[in-house]
PDB file of all heavy atoms in Angstrom:
ATOM      1  N   ILE Z  87     101.644 113.459 193.998  1.00 98.00           N
ATOM      2  CA  ILE Z  87     100.810 112.887 192.892  1.00 98.00           C
ATOM      3  C   ILE Z  87      99.341 112.799 193.343  1.00 98.00           C
ATOM      4  O   ILE Z  87      98.446 113.103 192.569  1.00 98.00           O
ATOM      5  CB  ILE Z  87     101.357 111.498 192.438  1.00 98.00           C
ATOM      6  CG1 ILE Z  87     102.819 111.622 191.976  1.00 98.00           C
ATOM      7  CG2 ILE Z  87     100.487 110.923 191.322  1.00 98.00           C
ATOM      8  CD1 ILE Z  87     103.059 112.569 190.825  1.00 98.00           C
ATOM      9  N   ALA Z  88      99.146 112.401 194.577  1.00 98.00           N
ATOM     10  CA  ALA Z  88      97.774 112.373 195.098  1.00 98.00           C
ATOM     11  C   ALA Z  88      97.161 113.772 195.039  1.00 98.00           C
ATOM     12  O   ALA Z  88      95.985 113.939 194.628  1.00 98.00           O
ATOM     13  CB  ALA Z  88      97.767 111.811 196.524  1.00 98.00           C
ATOM     14  N   ALA Z  89      97.960 114.779 195.409  1.00 98.00           N
ATOM     15  CA  ALA Z  89      97.448 116.154 195.349  1.00 98.00           C
ATOM     16  C   ALA Z  89      97.153 116.543 193.882  1.00 98.00           C
ATOM     17  O   ALA Z  89      96.110 117.155 193.584  1.00 98.00           O
ATOM     18  CB  ALA Z  89      98.509 117.092 195.941  1.00 98.00           C
ATOM     19  N   LEU Z  90      98.059 116.200 192.987  1.00 98.00           N
ATOM     20  CA  LEU Z  90      97.858 116.526 191.553  1.00 98.00           C
ATOM     21  C   LEU Z  90      96.562 115.949 191.047  1.00 98.00           C
ATOM     22  O   LEU Z  90      95.800 116.609 190.332  1.00 98.00           O
ATOM     23  CB  LEU Z  90      99.069 115.965 190.759  1.00 98.00           C
ATOM     24  CG  LEU Z  90      98.981 115.998 189.229  1.00 98.00           C
ATOM     25  CD1 LEU Z  90      98.951 117.437 188.745  1.00 98.00           C
ATOM     26  CD2 LEU Z  90     100.147 115.239 188.620  1.00 98.00           C
ATOM     27  N   MET Z  91      96.284 114.697 191.359  1.00 98.00           N
ATOM     28  CA  MET Z  91      95.073 114.051 190.907  1.00 98.00           C
ATOM     29  C   MET Z  91      93.844 114.778 191.430  1.00 98.00           C
ATOM     30  O   MET Z  91      92.849 114.953 190.698  1.00 98.00           O
ATOM     31  CB  MET Z  91      95.035 112.541 191.327  1.00 98.00           C
ATOM     32  CG  MET Z  91      96.153 111.730 190.728  1.00 98.00           C
ATOM     33  SD  MET Z  91      95.929 111.543 188.961  1.00 98.00           S
ATOM     34  CE  MET Z  91      97.627 111.283 188.454  1.00 98.00           C
ATOM     35  N   GLU Z  92      93.902 115.180 192.689  1.00 98.00           N
ATOM     36  CA  GLU Z  92      92.753 115.895 193.230  1.00 98.00           C
ATOM     37  C   GLU Z  92      92.549 117.258 192.605  1.00 98.00           C
ATOM     38  O   GLU Z  92      91.426 117.683 192.367  1.00 98.00           O
ATOM     39  CB  GLU Z  92      92.917 116.033 194.758  1.00 98.00           C
ATOM     40  CG  GLU Z  92      92.635 114.716 195.477  1.00 98.00           C
ATOM     41  CD  GLU Z  92      92.445 114.917 196.955  1.00 98.00           C
ATOM     42  OE1 GLU Z  92      91.693 115.837 197.360  1.00 98.00           O
ATOM     43  OE2 GLU Z  92      93.072 114.184 197.713  1.00 98.00           O
ATOM     44  N   VAL Z  93      93.650 117.940 192.342  1.00 98.00           N
ATOM     45  CA  VAL Z  93      93.591 119.242 191.711  1.00 98.00           C
ATOM     46  C   VAL Z  93      92.968 119.138 190.335  1.00 98.00           C
ATOM     47  O   VAL Z  93      92.108 119.930 189.940  1.00 98.00           O
ATOM     48  CB  VAL Z  93      94.977 119.890 191.679  1.00 98.00           C
ATOM     49  CG1 VAL Z  93      94.990 121.114 190.748  1.00 98.00           C
ATOM     50  CG2 VAL Z  93      95.418 120.278 193.077  1.00 98.00           C
ATOM     51  N   CYS Z  94      93.393 118.122 189.590  1.00 98.00           N
ATOM     52  CA  CYS Z  94      92.836 117.930 188.230  1.00 98.00           C
ATOM     53  C   CYS Z  94      91.334 117.579 188.311  1.00 98.00           C
ATOM     54  O   CYS Z  94      90.538 118.142 187.523  1.00 98.00           O
ATOM     55  CB  CYS Z  94      93.598 116.837 187.524  1.00 98.00           C
ATOM     56  SG  CYS Z  94      95.289 117.330 187.066  1.00 98.00           S
ATOM     57  N   ARG Z  95      90.989 116.697 189.244  1.00 98.00           N
ATOM     58  CA  ARG Z  95      89.538 116.371 189.415  1.00 98.00           C
ATOM     59  C   ARG Z  95      88.728 117.625 189.712  1.00 98.00           C
ATOM     60  O   ARG Z  95      87.629 117.800 189.206  1.00 98.00           O
ATOM     61  CB  ARG Z  95      89.384 115.349 190.564  1.00 98.00           C
ATOM     62  CG  ARG Z  95      89.359 113.894 190.090  1.00 98.00           C
ATOM     63  CD  ARG Z  95      88.861 112.975 191.175  1.00 98.00           C
ATOM     64  NE  ARG Z  95      89.761 112.925 192.330  1.00 98.00           N
ATOM     65  CZ  ARG Z  95      90.768 112.082 192.455  1.00 98.00           C
ATOM     66  NH1 ARG Z  95      91.055 111.214 191.511  1.00 98.00           N
ATOM     67  NH2 ARG Z  95      91.528 112.101 193.541  1.00 98.00           N
ATOM     68  N   TYR Z  96      89.291 118.447 190.615  1.00 98.00           N
ATOM     69  CA  TYR Z  96      88.572 119.649 191.018  1.00 98.00           C
ATOM     70  C   TYR Z  96      88.378 120.646 189.870  1.00 98.00           C
ATOM     71  O   TYR Z  96      87.305 121.189 189.672  1.00 98.00           O
ATOM     72  CB  TYR Z  96      89.327 120.303 192.173  1.00 98.00           C
ATOM     73  CG  TYR Z  96      88.516 121.393 192.858  1.00 98.00           C
ATOM     74  CD1 TYR Z  96      87.458 120.962 193.720  1.00 98.00           C
ATOM     75  CD2 TYR Z  96      88.718 122.694 192.675  1.00 98.00           C
ATOM     76  CE1 TYR Z  96      86.665 121.930 194.349  1.00 98.00           C
ATOM     77  CE2 TYR Z  96      87.988 123.666 193.318  1.00 98.00           C
ATOM     78  CZ  TYR Z  96      86.921 123.285 194.120  1.00 98.00           C
ATOM     79  OH  TYR Z  96      86.148 124.237 194.747  1.00 98.00           O
ATOM     80  N   ALA Z  97      89.463 120.762 189.075  1.00 98.00           N
ATOM     81  CA  ALA Z  97      89.380 121.695 187.922  1.00 98.00           C
ATOM     82  C   ALA Z  97      88.321 121.205 186.944  1.00 98.00           C
ATOM     83  O   ALA Z  97      87.572 121.998 186.341  1.00 98.00           O
ATOM     84  CB  ALA Z  97      90.746 121.788 187.239  1.00 98.00           C
ATOM     85  N   ARG Z  98      88.248 119.881 186.699  1.00 98.00           N
ATOM     86  CA  ARG Z  98      87.244 119.320 185.829  1.00 98.00           C
ATOM     87  C   ARG Z  98      85.848 119.604 186.316  1.00 98.00           C
ATOM     88  O   ARG Z  98      84.941 119.978 185.573  1.00 98.00           O
ATOM     89  CB  ARG Z  98      87.495 117.829 185.617  1.00 98.00           C
ATOM     90  CG  ARG Z  98      86.495 117.174 184.660  1.00 98.00           C
ATOM     91  CD  ARG Z  98      86.801 115.745 184.370  1.00 98.00           C
ATOM     92  NE  ARG Z  98      88.198 115.585 183.825  1.00 98.00           N
ATOM     93  CZ  ARG Z  98      88.530 115.870 182.590  1.00 98.00           C
ATOM     94  NH1 ARG Z  98      87.600 116.261 181.719  1.00 98.00           N
ATOM     95  NH2 ARG Z  98      89.761 115.713 182.153  1.00 98.00           N
ATOM     96  N   MET Z  99      85.641 119.430 187.618  1.00 98.00           N
ATOM     97  CA  MET Z  99      84.371 119.663 188.253  1.00 98.00           C
ATOM     98  C   MET Z  99      83.944 121.131 188.045  1.00 98.00           C
ATOM     99  O   MET Z  99      82.740 121.410 187.898  1.00 98.00           O
ATOM    100  CB  MET Z  99      84.497 119.400 189.752  1.00 98.00           C
ATOM    101  CG  MET Z  99      83.281 118.813 190.409  1.00 98.00           C
ATOM    102  SD  MET Z  99      83.675 118.519 192.128  1.00 98.00           S
ATOM    103  CE  MET Z  99      83.843 120.179 192.790  1.00 98.00           C
ATOM    104  N   ARG Z 100      84.898 122.019 188.017  1.00 98.00           N
ATOM    105  CA  ARG Z 100      84.585 123.418 187.809  1.00 98.00           C
ATOM    106  C   ARG Z 100      84.498 123.789 186.348  1.00 98.00           C
ATOM    107  O   ARG Z 100      84.412 125.001 186.009  1.00 98.00           O
ATOM    108  CB  ARG Z 100      85.606 124.324 188.519  1.00 98.00           C
ATOM    109  CG  ARG Z 100      85.662 124.156 190.046  1.00 98.00           C
ATOM    110  CD  ARG Z 100      84.327 124.446 190.731  1.00 98.00           C
ATOM    111  NE  ARG Z 100      83.740 125.737 190.366  1.00 98.00           N
ATOM    112  CZ  ARG Z 100      83.792 126.831 191.123  1.00 98.00           C
ATOM    113  NH1 ARG Z 100      84.392 126.804 192.266  1.00 98.00           N
ATOM    114  NH2 ARG Z 100      83.217 127.938 190.715  1.00 98.00           N
ATOM    115  N   GLY Z 101      84.600 122.831 185.450  1.00 98.00           N
ATOM    116  CA  GLY Z 101      84.359 123.084 184.038  1.00 98.00           C
ATOM    117  C   GLY Z 101      85.537 123.686 183.290  1.00 98.00           C
ATOM    118  O   GLY Z 101      85.414 124.181 182.152  1.00 98.00           O
ATOM    119  N   LEU Z 102      86.733 123.601 183.881  1.00 98.00           N
ATOM    120  CA  LEU Z 102      87.902 124.146 183.187  1.00 98.00           C
ATOM    121  C   LEU Z 102      88.593 123.027 182.422  1.00 98.00           C
ATOM    122  O   LEU Z 102      88.590 121.861 182.830  1.00 98.00           O
ATOM    123  CB  LEU Z 102      88.922 124.691 184.218  1.00 98.00           C
ATOM    124  CG  LEU Z 102      88.424 125.946 184.966  1.00 98.00           C
ATOM    125  CD1 LEU Z 102      89.299 126.243 186.200  1.00 98.00           C
ATOM    126  CD2 LEU Z 102      88.430 127.157 184.024  1.00 98.00           C
ATOM    127  N   LEU Z 103      89.190 123.347 181.259  1.00 98.00           N
ATOM    128  CA  LEU Z 103      90.052 122.419 180.547  1.00 98.00           C
ATOM    129  C   LEU Z 103      91.338 122.259 181.340  1.00 98.00           C
ATOM    130  O   LEU Z 103      91.831 123.222 181.952  1.00 98.00           O
ATOM    131  CB  LEU Z 103      90.354 122.932 179.143  1.00 98.00           C
ATOM    132  CG  LEU Z 103      89.156 122.981 178.175  1.00 98.00           C
ATOM    133  CD1 LEU Z 103      89.554 123.700 176.911  1.00 98.00           C
ATOM    134  CD2 LEU Z 103      88.649 121.567 177.835  1.00 98.00           C
ATOM    135  N   ILE Z 104      91.882 121.035 181.297  1.00 98.00           N
ATOM    136  CA  ILE Z 104      93.113 120.778 182.025  1.00 98.00           C
ATOM    137  C   ILE Z 104      94.212 120.430 181.054  1.00 98.00           C
ATOM    138  O   ILE Z 104      94.116 119.485 180.283  1.00 98.00           O
ATOM    139  CB  ILE Z 104      92.889 119.597 183.005  1.00 98.00           C
ATOM    140  CG1 ILE Z 104      91.761 119.933 183.976  1.00 98.00           C
ATOM    141  CG2 ILE Z 104      94.193 119.226 183.751  1.00 98.00           C
ATOM    142  CD1 ILE Z 104      90.928 118.735 184.344  1.00 98.00           C
ATOM    143  N   ILE Z 105      95.268 121.214 181.103  1.00 98.00           N
ATOM    144  CA  ILE Z 105      96.476 120.945 180.273  1.00 98.00           C
ATOM    145  C   ILE Z 105      97.541 120.432 181.190  1.00 98.00           C
ATOM    146  O   ILE Z 105      98.089 121.215 182.005  1.00 98.00           O
ATOM    147  CB  ILE Z 105      96.881 122.217 179.532  1.00 98.00           C
ATOM    148  CG1 ILE Z 105      95.761 122.711 178.583  1.00 98.00           C
ATOM    149  CG2 ILE Z 105      98.157 121.944 178.669  1.00 98.00           C
ATOM    150  CD1 ILE Z 105      95.973 124.087 178.043  1.00 98.00           C
ATOM    151  N   ALA Z 106      97.869 119.153 181.060  1.00 98.00           N
ATOM    152  CA  ALA Z 106      98.935 118.579 181.900  1.00 98.00           C
ATOM    153  C   ALA Z 106     100.292 119.076 181.399  1.00 98.00           C
ATOM    154  O   ALA Z 106     100.727 118.660 180.335  1.00 98.00           O
ATOM    155  CB  ALA Z 106      98.838 117.054 181.827  1.00 98.00           C
ATOM    156  N   ASP Z 107     100.918 119.934 182.148  1.00 98.00           N
ATOM    157  CA  ASP Z 107     102.224 120.388 181.684  1.00 98.00           C
ATOM    158  C   ASP Z 107     103.283 119.430 182.179  1.00 98.00           C
ATOM    159  O   ASP Z 107     103.926 119.621 183.217  1.00 98.00           O
ATOM    160  CB  ASP Z 107     102.521 121.853 182.188  1.00 98.00           C
ATOM    161  CG  ASP Z 107     103.637 122.440 181.339  1.00 98.00           C
ATOM    162  OD1 ASP Z 107     104.212 121.774 180.523  1.00 98.00           O
ATOM    163  OD2 ASP Z 107     103.911 123.654 181.564  1.00 98.00           O
ATOM    164  N   ALA Z 108     103.406 118.361 181.418  1.00 98.00           N
ATOM    165  CA  ALA Z 108     104.270 117.224 181.809  1.00 98.00           C
ATOM    166  C   ALA Z 108     105.451 117.048 180.874  1.00 98.00           C
ATOM    167  O   ALA Z 108     106.417 116.397 181.240  1.00 98.00           O
ATOM    168  CB  ALA Z 108     103.393 115.954 181.845  1.00 98.00           C
ATOM    169  N   LYS Z 109     105.384 117.653 179.703  1.00 98.00           N
ATOM    170  CA  LYS Z 109     106.416 117.580 178.694  1.00 98.00           C
ATOM    171  C   LYS Z 109     106.970 116.175 178.561  1.00 98.00           C
ATOM    172  O   LYS Z 109     108.185 115.981 178.516  1.00 98.00           O
ATOM    173  CB  LYS Z 109     107.528 118.590 179.017  1.00 98.00           C
ATOM    174  CG  LYS Z 109     107.034 120.051 179.013  1.00 98.00           C
ATOM    175  CD  LYS Z 109     108.099 121.092 178.976  1.00 98.00           C
ATOM    176  CE  LYS Z 109     107.550 122.500 178.967  1.00 98.00           C
ATOM    177  NZ  LYS Z 109     106.882 122.908 180.207  1.00 98.00           N
ATOM    178  N   ARG Z 110     106.125 115.207 178.501  1.00 98.00           N
ATOM    179  CA  ARG Z 110     106.537 113.829 178.297  1.00 98.00           C
ATOM    180  C   ARG Z 110     107.046 113.667 176.867  1.00 98.00           C
ATOM    181  O   ARG Z 110     106.617 114.421 175.960  1.00 98.00           O
ATOM    182  CB  ARG Z 110     105.389 112.872 178.554  1.00 98.00           C
ATOM    183  CG  ARG Z 110     104.918 112.856 180.025  1.00 98.00           C
ATOM    184  CD  ARG Z 110     106.032 112.503 180.999  1.00 98.00           C
ATOM    185  NE  ARG Z 110     105.540 112.293 182.346  1.00 98.00           N
ATOM    186  CZ  ARG Z 110     105.637 113.209 183.380  1.00 98.00           C
ATOM    187  NH1 ARG Z 110     106.199 114.385 183.152  1.00 98.00           N
ATOM    188  NH2 ARG Z 110     105.177 112.894 184.550  1.00 98.00           N
ATOM    189  N   GLY Z 111     107.879 112.688 176.654  1.00 96.00           N
ATOM    190  CA  GLY Z 111     108.386 112.424 175.303  1.00 96.00           C
ATOM    191  C   GLY Z 111     108.965 111.059 175.199  1.00 96.00           C
ATOM    192  O   GLY Z 111     110.107 110.833 175.520  1.00 96.00           O
ATOM    193  N   ASP Z 112     108.143 110.131 174.788  1.00 96.00           N
ATOM    194  CA  ASP Z 112     108.618 108.767 174.593  1.00 96.00           C
ATOM    195  C   ASP Z 112     107.824 108.186 173.422  1.00 96.00           C
ATOM    196  O   ASP Z 112     107.014 108.870 172.845  1.00 96.00           O
ATOM    197  CB  ASP Z 112     108.475 107.961 175.905  1.00 96.00           C
ATOM    198  CG  ASP Z 112     109.652 106.985 176.045  1.00 96.00           C
ATOM    199  OD1 ASP Z 112     109.921 106.180 175.124  1.00 96.00           O
ATOM    200  OD2 ASP Z 112     110.306 107.031 177.091  1.00 96.00           O
ATOM    201  N   ILE Z 113     108.015 106.930 173.146  1.00 95.00           N
ATOM    202  CA  ILE Z 113     107.477 106.373 171.901  1.00 95.00           C
ATOM    203  C   ILE Z 113     106.694 105.070 172.146  1.00 95.00           C
ATOM    204  O   ILE Z 113     106.779 104.477 173.260  1.00 95.00           O
ATOM    205  CB  ILE Z 113     108.571 106.057 170.860  1.00 95.00           C
ATOM    206  CG1 ILE Z 113     109.673 105.244 171.505  1.00 95.00           C
ATOM    207  CG2 ILE Z 113     109.097 107.368 170.284  1.00 95.00           C
ATOM    208  CD1 ILE Z 113     110.574 104.561 170.483  1.00 95.00           C
ATOM    209  N   ASP Z 114     105.973 104.649 171.155  1.00 93.00           N
ATOM    210  CA  ASP Z 114     105.321 103.328 171.099  1.00 93.00           C
ATOM    211  C   ASP Z 114     104.533 103.006 172.379  1.00 93.00           C
ATOM    212  O   ASP Z 114     103.786 103.825 172.866  1.00 93.00           O
ATOM    213  CB  ASP Z 114     106.415 102.259 170.843  1.00 93.00           C
ATOM    214  CG  ASP Z 114     107.127 102.547 169.483  1.00 93.00           C
ATOM    215  OD1 ASP Z 114     106.504 103.173 168.630  1.00 93.00           O
ATOM    216  OD2 ASP Z 114     108.270 102.143 169.321  1.00 93.00           O
ATOM    217  N   THR Z 115     104.764 101.807 172.919  1.00 94.00           N
ATOM    218  CA  THR Z 115     103.943 101.386 174.054  1.00 94.00           C
ATOM    219  C   THR Z 115     104.256 102.250 175.297  1.00 94.00           C
ATOM    220  O   THR Z 115     103.390 102.413 176.151  1.00 94.00           O
ATOM    221  CB  THR Z 115     104.217  99.897 174.427  1.00 94.00           C
ATOM    222  OG1 THR Z 115     105.625  99.738 174.619  1.00 94.00           O
ATOM    223  CG2 THR Z 115     103.760  98.992 173.331  1.00 94.00           C
ATOM    224  N   THR Z 116     105.445 102.840 175.338  1.00 96.00           N
ATOM    225  CA  THR Z 116     105.738 103.715 176.488  1.00 96.00           C
ATOM    226  C   THR Z 116     104.930 104.980 176.362  1.00 96.00           C
ATOM    227  O   THR Z 116     104.349 105.439 177.380  1.00 96.00           O
ATOM    228  CB  THR Z 116     107.275 104.030 176.512  1.00 96.00           C
ATOM    229  OG1 THR Z 116     107.982 102.798 176.431  1.00 96.00           O
ATOM    230  CG2 THR Z 116     107.616 104.792 177.737  1.00 96.00           C
ATOM    231  N   ALA Z 117     104.890 105.571 175.207  1.00 97.00           N
ATOM    232  CA  ALA Z 117     104.031 106.750 175.020  1.00 97.00           C
ATOM    233  C   ALA Z 117     102.574 106.404 175.243  1.00 97.00           C
ATOM    234  O   ALA Z 117     101.837 107.239 175.838  1.00 97.00           O
ATOM    235  CB  ALA Z 117     104.214 107.301 173.619  1.00 97.00           C
ATOM    236  N   THR Z 118     102.161 105.232 174.839  1.00 97.00           N
ATOM    237  CA  THR Z 118     100.791 104.779 175.100  1.00 97.00           C
ATOM    238  C   THR Z 118     100.523 104.729 176.604  1.00 97.00           C
ATOM    239  O   THR Z 118      99.452 105.167 177.089  1.00 97.00           O
ATOM    240  CB  THR Z 118     100.529 103.387 174.510  1.00 97.00           C
ATOM    241  OG1 THR Z 118     100.685 103.489 173.072  1.00 97.00           O
ATOM    242  CG2 THR Z 118      99.114 102.920 174.808  1.00 97.00           C
ATOM    243  N   ALA Z 119     101.510 104.251 177.369  1.00 97.00           N
ATOM    244  CA  ALA Z 119     101.342 104.205 178.838  1.00 97.00           C
ATOM    245  C   ALA Z 119     101.167 105.656 179.415  1.00 97.00           C
ATOM    246  O   ALA Z 119     100.329 105.882 180.253  1.00 97.00           O
ATOM    247  CB  ALA Z 119     102.529 103.496 179.500  1.00 97.00           C
ATOM    248  N   TYR Z 120     102.014 106.586 178.930  1.00 98.00           N
ATOM    249  CA  TYR Z 120     101.833 107.958 179.366  1.00 98.00           C
ATOM    250  C   TYR Z 120     100.452 108.492 178.982  1.00 98.00           C
ATOM    251  O   TYR Z 120      99.788 109.173 179.796  1.00 98.00           O
ATOM    252  CB  TYR Z 120     102.910 108.880 178.792  1.00 98.00           C
ATOM    253  CG  TYR Z 120     104.225 108.851 179.497  1.00 98.00           C
ATOM    254  CD1 TYR Z 120     105.422 108.663 178.794  1.00 98.00           C
ATOM    255  CD2 TYR Z 120     104.317 109.006 180.882  1.00 98.00           C
ATOM    256  CE1 TYR Z 120     106.672 108.627 179.458  1.00 98.00           C
ATOM    257  CE2 TYR Z 120     105.560 109.006 181.559  1.00 98.00           C
ATOM    258  CZ  TYR Z 120     106.723 108.802 180.832  1.00 98.00           C
ATOM    259  OH  TYR Z 120     107.920 108.782 181.462  1.00 98.00           O
ATOM    260  N   ALA Z 121     100.064 108.207 177.741  1.00 98.00           N
ATOM    261  CA  ALA Z 121      98.766 108.715 177.275  1.00 98.00           C
ATOM    262  C   ALA Z 121      97.619 108.107 178.089  1.00 98.00           C
ATOM    263  O   ALA Z 121      96.676 108.818 178.470  1.00 98.00           O
ATOM    264  CB  ALA Z 121      98.587 108.366 175.781  1.00 98.00           C
TER     265      ALA Z 121
END
Side-chain angles (χ1 to χ4, degrees):
Chain Z
I87 301 300
L90 172 65
M91 296 293 153
E92 284 195 48
V93 168
C94 291
R95 267 194 293 272
Y96 194 73
R98 183 172 303 282
M99 215 178 67
R100 297 302 308 260
L102 294 165
L103 293 171
I104 301 144
I105 300 168
D107 198 355
K109 299 194 180 66
R110 296 302 189 259
D112 217 305
I113 51 162
D114 301 334
T115 55
T116 308
T118 298
Y120 278 131

